[in-house]
Structure formats: structure tokens, C-alpha cells
């Protein structure tokens, strides 16, 4: 019988750890937070090469262990209610609000289960024709010959595509008045509030006053919640008039339908408004990061673009009579496209995972992790490990195809993993695929200069990075 200890061992409260156990390498240094924020890629890469995939730091105060190995990631991702708690600064937790999935671990499972249909399965399939139209229309404003500031241009189109899918309204609707009865009256106002809200998450001064970014973020948060409350009230009124609410139409409709079916269930008005606020925020920044980084990569890899075109021709034929509409089944037949998106997420993961704090001593692969320490599972480490990815510095989508099948759970972690694994991962890939198909049909493009990235808090191309668009002759 195998007598070896389990790979993840949780010590009982009061249990004294074996004194011969080693701690993760590296002494935390006072400058770690500044070094990490200044350049997270370099911080992770340098320390990984010196100390291996698990090392101690003082990032965000106290001892925080950065991890990238599969077994340590697994430990970080699955400790809720057993040996970890979410350890975000109070300011960040307040910005998320009490109805986010990072609050109340006791309610996390029921809330997550209730939210899931809004981003997956039949509802997600149902969004595709609408997404196809919205992204097609949006890209109609891009012209061959344009020099496009990539991240802001993609972010603008993503916003226009995501608002209808999440909130059920089209802010560009020229037929009616999409702003009627709402507390805001124009898209720039809404986007600017979102930017202030976003900046508030990372404010260093935790005072709720107008001269801190945290204070301004909180102010923006309440204005955005008032806006969401208006949208919810308007939808409820429309539903009462028309007597119809198709839960597949959009995320808000799904939540309202569940509320109608079970008024005492998960979906209180406050939770619905907070979820509208958060999911639009999360999906918008993350998907914009993915699509723009994918475009940057494709601009540098024409041979891969040729393979993507051949794949599309196989699905839709090489001389389409106009551009055929996109269907859920067709989107599932594009493994090469999917592999390029995954490879983009591997080399430029938009976000790290949230910090956890250990509530018990834990032993992982012979290393002692002490109660009270912070933990961050970092894709920036996991994704550059040769044990996880062959020749990791190479952009090579084939690693996700066929027999190679790299990217196993806990090694490929752009969407986190375990208990808090991203709820919008499938939706992100679907939106990115629709974007990519339209782009490939219409344009060729190349960067006008080497790419430069904003690294923190989310990784995306700098706003002034431009591409040159050309028409794809077919
Ligand atoms: C490229 C796109 C995206 C990336 C890279 C991404 C990344 C992540 C990561 C790393 C986590 C885990 C955080 C942790 O464990 O601390 C997460 C969680 C989450 N994501 Fe995403 N995300 C993306 C798109 C989306 C979209 C489109 C939505 C919804 C519309 C979404 C909703 C969520 C939610 C609700 C959670 C929390 C899940 C939980 O706590 O159980 N994300 N995401």
C-alpha cells in the first residue's frame, strides 16, 4: 500500500508542523510590492528562474507566496471554507460589493450556480446571432487604410456588444431612446464612470473622500448602481406590459426570470444590480484585452492567419455568397482559431488570480505554507514552465491541438481554476471568436511598432499602440 503523504496536507488547528519541513525559497524583500507593480512579468520571470515555481515575497504586505506549479495552484484554488479565505484589501472588497462572488464563501456555491446559465449553454448559444450582428455592425466603422489605436478601438466595440448581451439594451439604438428613464444620458458618461470605478479598486489610500481614487471609485459605484437600478426597473415594467420575459435573451433577463420563479431565492434586487455592474466591468476589460492581444499576435504571424483562413473556408466554403451567419455549431468547429486564442491567453494572460490567505498550515509537495500567509497563483509563472508547456517562449498554438494537448487543468490558468474558476470563460471565447471571424473575413493588419503593454492591474496593450488595417481581397 502507498504510504506517501497526500500531496496537499492540511494541518489540524494546533498541530505542530514537522520541524524538518522546508519553507518555500526566497526571503521576502521590502521592495517586492513596488517591483511587482512596476513590472509583474519581469518580477515573476526573474524569481521563477532564480527560485523555481514557488517563492516567498512581501507583495501587498506580510508574506505572500507566488505559485505556478500545478499542485500548488490546485492548493490555492480549492481552499475556500477549508484552509483559505479571499484576502483582498478592504477597499477592493468594498468596490466588489457584498453581492459579489468573492464575498460570503458560505453563499458562493448557490450564487455561482444561479448565475452560471447567464454565461453558458443554451443562453450563450442564443446570444450568438445577436453578437454576430453587433460585432459586424461595429466593425463596419473600421475602414481599410485606417490606423487604429488597437486596445481603445476594440474596447469600444466590445462595450457595444456586451451591453446588449448583459443588460438587454442597445445603447446605440437610433430607433428608440435607449436612455429614457435612466440616470445617465450618454455613453461617454457611462464609460467614464466605469473608468473611475475601475481605478477605485486599486486606490492605495483607503479613505472615502473625493480626493482619493478609492473615494471617487465609490462615488462612481453608487452612480453606476443607480443606473443599473433604472435598467432593472424599466425592464420589469416592459415585462409586465408585454407579459414576456425570455431568460435566454440576456443576463439580466435570466436573473429576472429566476427572481420571478423564486422571489425568496438568490436574486434579490440588490444582487441583480450589483451583478449587472460587476459582470459588465469584468467581461469588458478582460475580453478587450484578449481580442486586442490576439490581433497583435496575428499581425505578427501571417502563416497562422493562412491556417485560420483555410479553417474558415472548410466550415463555410471558400467562395461564400456574402458572409454566412454564424451559428453555435459552426463556432465549435474551429479548433485552430480556439488554439490561437488560448495561446494568446497563455502568453498574455489579462489578469492574475485574487490573493488568498491561509487559515491553516498546509504542506504541499514537502513545503510548509504557514497560516496567515497570502497566496497568489500566477499564470505568469505557470505559463512559462517547461514542465507545463514545451518551448514556452514560443508562440505556438499547436500546443493546444491533437496529441500534444498541453494546457491541462492547474497548468493553464488564465481563467483561474477550482472553486472560483472564471464563470465567463466560455462566453469570453465565444465573443472573441465572433470578433476574430469578422476581422479575418474583412481585413489584414499589422502593428506599426513593437507592442507595449500596461502590466498592472490588468495586462493589455498600451492605448497608443496602433495597427494599420488593409482590406482582405477575396
Ligand atoms: C478573457 C476573459 C477573461 C479572463 C482572462 C478572466 C479571468 C478570470 C480569473 C483569473 C478569475 C479567477 C479569479 C480568482 O480565482 O481569484 C475569474 C473569475 C471570474 N470571472 Fe472571469 N475572466 C474573463 C472573462 C469573464 C467574463 C466574460 C465574465 C462574465 C461575463 C467573467 C466573470 C467572472 C466571475 C463571475 C468570476 C468569479 C468566479 C467565482 O468567484 O467563483 N469573466 N475570471
Amino acid at each position: 500500500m502507498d504510504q506517501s503523504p497526500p500531496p496537499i496536507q492540511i494541518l489540524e488547528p494546533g498541530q505542530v508542523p514537522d520541524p524538518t519541513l522546508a519553507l518555500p525559497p526566497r526571503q521576502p524583500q521590502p521592495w517586492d510590492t513596488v517591483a511587482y507593480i512596476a513590472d509583474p512579468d519581469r518580477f515573476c520571470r526573474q524569481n521563477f528562474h532564480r527560485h523555481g515555481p514557488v517563492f516567498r515575497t512581501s507583495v501587498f504586505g506580510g508574506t505572500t507566496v507566488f505559485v505556478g506549479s500545478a499542485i500548488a495552484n490546485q492548493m490555492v484554488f480549492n481552499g475556500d471554507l477549508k484552509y483559505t479565505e479571499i484576502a483582498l484589501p478592504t477597499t477592493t472588497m468594498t468596490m466588489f460589493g457584498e453581492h459579489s462572488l468573492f464575498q460570503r464563501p458560505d453563499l458562493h456555491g448557490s450564487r455561482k450556480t444561479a448565475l452560471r446559465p447567464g454565461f453558458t449553454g443554451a443562453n450563450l448559444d442564443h446570444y450568438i446571432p445577436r453578437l454576430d450582428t453587433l460585432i459586424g455592425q461595429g466593425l463596419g466603422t473600421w475602414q481599410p487604410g485606417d490606423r487604429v489605436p488597437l486596445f481603445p478601438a476594440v474596447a469600444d466595440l466590445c462595450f457595444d456588444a456586451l451591453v446588449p448581451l448583459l443588460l438587454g439594451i442597445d445603447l446605440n439604438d437610433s430607433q428608440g431612446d435607449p436612455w429614457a428613464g435612466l440616470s445617465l444620458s450618454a455613453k461617454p458618461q457611462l464609460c467614464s464612470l466605469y473608468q473611475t470605478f475601475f481605478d477605485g479598486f486599486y486606490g492605495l489610500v483607503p479613505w472615502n473622500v473625493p480626493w482619493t481614487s478609492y473615494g471617487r471609485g465609490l462615488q462612481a459605484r453608487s452612480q453606476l448602481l443607480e443606473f443599473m437600478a433604472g435598467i432593472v426597473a424599466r425592464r420589469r415594467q416592459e415585462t409586465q406590459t408585454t407579459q414576456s420575459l425570455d431568460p435566454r435573451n440576456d443576463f439580466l433577463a435570466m436573473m429576472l426570470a429566476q427572481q420571478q420563479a423564486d422571489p425568496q431565492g438568490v436574486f434579490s434586487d440588490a444582487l441583480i444590480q450589483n451583478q449587472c455592474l460587476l459582470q459588465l466591468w469584468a467581461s469588458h476589460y478582460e475580453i478587450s484585452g484578449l481580442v486586442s492581444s490576439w490581433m497583435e499576435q496575428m499581425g505578427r504571424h501571417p502563416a497562422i492567419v493562412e491556417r485560420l483562413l483555410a479553417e474558415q473556408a472548410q466550415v463555410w466554403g471558400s467562395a461564400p455568397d456574402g458572409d454566412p451567419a454564424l451559428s453555435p455549431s459552426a463556432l465549435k468547429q474551429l479548433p485552430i482559431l480556439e488554439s490561437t486564442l488560448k495561446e494568446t491567453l497563455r502568453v498574455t494572460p489579462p489578469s492574475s488570480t485574487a490573493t488568498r490567505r491561509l487559515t491553516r498550515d498546509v504542506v504541499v509537495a514537502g513545503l510548509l505554507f504557514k497560516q496567515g500567509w497570502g497566496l497568489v497563483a500566477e499564470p505568469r509563472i505557470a505559463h512559462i514552465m517547461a514542465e507545463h508547456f514545451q518551448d514556452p517562449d514560443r508562440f505556438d498554438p499547436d500546443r493546444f491541438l491533437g496529441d500534444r494537448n498541453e494546457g491541462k487543468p492547474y497548468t493553464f490558468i488564465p481563467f483561474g481554476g477550482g472553486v472560483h474558476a472564471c464563470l465567463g470563460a466560455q462566453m469570453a471565447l465565444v465573443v472573441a471568436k465572433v470578433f476574430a471571424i469578422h476581422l479575418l473575413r474583412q481585413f489584414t493588419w499589422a502593428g506599426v511598432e513593437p507592442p507595449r503593454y500596461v502590466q498592472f492591474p490588468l495586462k493589455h496593450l498600451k492605448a497608443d499602440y496602433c495597427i494599420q488595417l488593409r482590406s482582405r481581397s477575396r
Side-chain angles (χ1 to χ4, degrees):
M1 210 166 71
D2 184 8
Q3 295 295 315
S4 51
I8 301 174
Q9 221 183 325
I10 305 148
L11 302 197
E12 293 302 323
Q15 186 181 346
V16 180
D18 175 349
T20 63
L21 281 168
L23 299 179
R26 189 179 183 274
Q27 271 305 326
Q29 301 298 330
W31 54 83
D32 281 347
T33 304
V34 174
Y36 177 69
I37 291 178
D39 193 340
D41 277 358
R42 190 175 56 197
F43 182 84
C44 290
R45 187 173 280 269
Q46 277 181 353
N47 283 302
F48 164 62
H49 286 306
R50 280 185 203 144
H51 306 285
V54 175
F55 52 86
R56 276 180 295 154
T57 75
S58 69
V59 171
F60 306 134
T63 297
T64 299
V65 191
F66 275 55
V67 312
S69 68
I71 187 69
N73 290 340
Q74 189 179 346
M75 180 272 282
V76 174
F77 287 144
N78 292 302
D80 262 29
L81 294 172
K82 290 178 283 186
Y83 54 85
T84 60
E85 59 191 10
I86 298 283
L88 292 164
T90 329
T91 48
T92 310
M93 286 305 247
T94 317
M95 295 300 287
F96 272 121
E98 60 175 308
H99 300 285
S100 89
L101 286 180
F102 287 140
Q103 312 273 7
R104 300 290 308 264
D106 54 325
L107 298 178
H108 171 263
S110 54
R111 287 178 172 175
K112 193 165 187 175
T113 306
L115 290 167
R116 184 169 283 114
F119 308 121
T120 53
N123 291 30
L124 181 56
D125 284 354
H126 198 75
Y127 299 159
I128 289 171
R130 189 132 170 236
L131 203 50
D132 188 14
T133 310
L134 288 163
I135 291 179
Q137 280 168 354
L139 283 173
T141 60
W142 290 20
Q143 295 302 323
D146 283 356
R147 195 181 158 114
V148 178
L150 191 52
F151 182 74
V154 167
D156 194 41
L157 294 196
C158 268
F159 197 74
D160 289 347
L162 288 167
V163 170
L165 298 192
L166 295 171
L167 308 183
I169 52 171
D170 180 354
L171 296 177
N172 295 322
D173 182 6
S174 51
Q175 310 295 319
D177 177 7
W179 303 93
L182 302 178
S183 57
L184 303 176
S185 53
K187 200 173 113 186
Q189 205 185 359
L190 177 59
C191 292
S192 144
L193 279 177
Y194 257 108
Q195 187 58 52
T196 313
F197 172 60
F198 180 62
D199 294 342
F201 269 79
Y202 303 94
L204 295 177
V205 183
W207 296 338
N208 183 8
V209 286
W211 48 269
T212 61
S213 30
Y214 172 60
R216 287 191 297 274
L218 276 183
Q219 180 64 31
R221 181 175 200 283
S222 27
Q223 286 178 265
L224 286 166
L225 280 176
E226 192 189 341
F227 174 72
M228 296 305 168
I231 290 181
V232 173
R234 201 173 72 180
R235 175 67 76 87
R236 196 171 275 133
Q237 210 173 19
E238 283 163 13
T239 310
Q240 274 159 6
T241 320
T242 58
Q243 296 290 310
S244 77
L245 181 63
D246 184 342
R248 297 169 310 161
N249 267 357
D250 52 81
F251 176 55
L252 173 58
M254 183 283 291
M255 292 193 286
L256 286 174
Q258 285 206 46
Q259 188 190 48
Q260 268 179 15
D262 180 8
Q264 305 311 319
V266 164
F267 288 104
S268 63
D269 272 9
L271 185 134
I272 292 178
Q273 288 156 20
N274 205 44
Q275 284 298 329
C276 288
L277 168 76
L278 289 182
Q279 300 320 332
L280 182 56
W281 170 70
S283 58
H284 177 236
Y285 276 95
E286 303 269 21
I287 297 178
S288 305
L290 168 59
V291 172
S292 51
S293 297
W294 175 86
M295 283 188 75
E296 190 281 312
Q297 289 289 352
M298 293 306 104
R300 278 193 284 140
H301 292 93
I304 298 177
V305 170
E306 285 307 313
R307 289 174 63 198
L308 292 176
L309 293 171
E311 181 178 67
Q312 292 203 18
Q314 246 181 10
V315 175
W316 288 289
S318 54
D321 187 11
D323 283 332
L326 303 184
S327 65
S329 65
L331 288 194
K332 287 176 190 129
Q333 294 170 49
L334 300 164
I336 304 179
L337 177 56
E338 184 155 322
S339 73
T340 60
L341 291 165
K342 285 184 172 171
E343 184 64 344
T344 303
L345 285 167
R346 185 185 71 83
V347 298
T348 41
S351 61
S352 317
T353 55
T355 317
R356 313 300 201 256
R357 187 182 303 109
L358 281 164
T359 54
R360 304 268 282 271
D361 287 345
V362 173
V363 180
V364 181
L367 292 177
L368 174 64
F369 293 71
K370 290 191 177 178
Q371 181 182 344
W373 284 1
L375 300 168
V376 176
E378 249 300 351
R380 289 179 171 94
I381 305 171
H383 293 182
I384 61 168
M385 288 175 63
E387 292 90 325
H388 298 166
F389 299 99
Q390 241 178 64
D391 196 1
D393 289 338
R394 203 165 151 238
F395 186 87
D396 178 11
D398 284 340
R399 65 177 79 252
F400 290 102
L401 296 171
D403 290 344
R404 281 178 68 185
N405 197 19
E406 294 176 19
K408 307 243 170 354
Y410 304 117
T411 68
F412 179 59
I413 55 168
F415 296 113
V419 179
H420 287 278
C422 178
L423 205 44
Q426 290 174 38
M427 180 165 159
L429 288 174
V430 162
V431 176
K433 278 183 190 172
V434 174
F435 235 111
I437 293 164
H438 277 276
L439 285 162
L440 289 165
R441 281 174 177 173
Q442 292 181 52
F443 301 112
T444 66
W445 62 90
V448 293
E449 61 196 12
R452 285 172 297 117
Y453 279 85
V454 173
Q455 291 269 0
F456 187 86
L458 297 182
K459 183 164 177 172
H460 61 77
L461 285 158
K462 288 206 164 159
D464 59 358
Y465 170 80
C466 290
I467 53 157
Q468 186 71 50
L469 279 182
R470 298 212 161 68
S471 172
R472 180 174 300 286
S473 42
R474 290 189 279 178

